[in-house]
Amino acid sequence: MKKKVFIGSLVLIFGVISLIYLKSFKPKEKGSFCPFCDEKVINYQKYFEDEFSIGLCSYKPLLKGHSLIIPKRHVERLEDLTDREMQNIFNLIKKTNLAVQKVLGNKSYIVIQKNGKEVGQSVFHAHFHYIPRVDNGSNFGFLTRFSAYPFKRKLNPNEMQDIKEMISQNI
Ligand SMILES: [Zn+2]
């Protein structure tokens, strides 16, 4: 009897740990905490702000200079943006590119924007990734970075401060 209780407890503990573990990987759904509406997140990562948009340094960059351009207004998807916001956001992507190019000397960059969890949108506040690429290594290496994104290292506060300053001083 005691053995059964012991095994039962182990199964229960394992179940609870698994649930907590799986929940931590679940994408944030509508109505939950939005990091791009959170003042703390904005202040920590922001390199530029204007009337409609904000430029943020990625806290887990795929490559140095990886930035996120977001509308100030909380909307989930591209089609929710007004024409004015779209224009403003694309202007900021161009400005970001010029600033990052001055700092890193990259000629190439990629812009990615996802709509819906089926294509991997994990934060449901519309955002555009700007990712510069400096070196001429293999494209395979570059592309595999995208699948390794969840395992990338977070910048520490000093690294975040440095990259923020470099971009904001050149924008
Ligand atoms: Zn938001």
Side-chain angles (χ1 to χ4, degrees):
M1 191 62 189
K2 264 188 183 172
K3 204 175 172 190
K4 272 190 184 168
V5 172
F6 177 69
I7 291 171
S9 308
L10 275 185
V11 170
L12 188 70
I13 291 167
F14 181 73
V16 170
I17 291 172
S18 308
L19 267 177
I20 293 168
Y21 181 74
L22 286 174
K23 216 171 150 59
S24 68
F25 282 100
K26 234 182 131 189
K28 289 184 173 60
E29 296 291 348
K30 199 177 179 177
S32 63
F33 168 75
C34 175
F36 297 157
C37 288
D38 186 81
E39 220 173 289
K40 251 191 188 170
V41 173
I42 304 276
N43 288 337
Y44 182 57
Q45 295 175 229
K46 182 178 73 183
Y47 62 83
F48 187 83
E49 176 177 358
D50 61 20
E51 198 182 348
F52 295 105
S53 55
I54 299 173
L56 303 171
C57 295
S58 170
Y59 82 109
K60 244 183 184 184
L62 274 178
L63 288 166
K64 189 174 183 183
H66 180 177
S67 309
L68 300 162
I69 293 86
I70 65 167
K72 276 188 169 173
R73 193 168 63 94
H74 179 96
V75 293
E76 273 190 37
R77 304 166 66 97
L78 180 79
E79 63 266 34
D80 300 327
L81 294 166
T82 64
D83 292 351
R84 191 81 200 275
E85 284 170 326
M86 289 275 266
Q87 195 182 24
N88 199 258
I89 284 169
F90 274 89
N91 281 340
L92 183 50
I93 292 173
K94 282 177 77 177
K95 274 189 197 174
T96 299
N97 177 46
L98 288 174
V100 173
Q101 279 183 337
K102 270 191 225 164
V103 175
L104 300 179
N106 62 298
K107 282 202 181 87
S108 303
Y109 63 93
I110 188 167
V111 176
I112 300 173
Q113 197 266 333
K114 298 173 183 173
N115 299 283
K117 61 182 177 189
E118 289 78 7
V119 293
Q121 184 179 9
S122 58
V123 175
F124 291 88
H125 181 136
H127 57 284
F128 294 75
H129 294 262
Y130 165 88
I131 307 168
R133 189 173 184 214
V134 179
D135 65 62
N136 294 316
S138 77
N139 280 332
F140 178 74
F142 177 62
L143 294 171
T144 50
R145 282 175 180 272
F146 289 89
S147 48
Y149 185 63
F151 308 106
K152 295 297 288 182
R153 185 178 68 84
K154 282 184 198 173
L155 293 185
N156 67 41
N158 288 337
E159 290 170 323
M160 178 60 81
Q161 192 60 32
D162 285 352
I163 190 73
K164 256 169 59 169
E165 271 176 24
M166 278 196 277
I167 300 177
S168 62
Q169 282 166 8
N170 285 283
I171 211 159

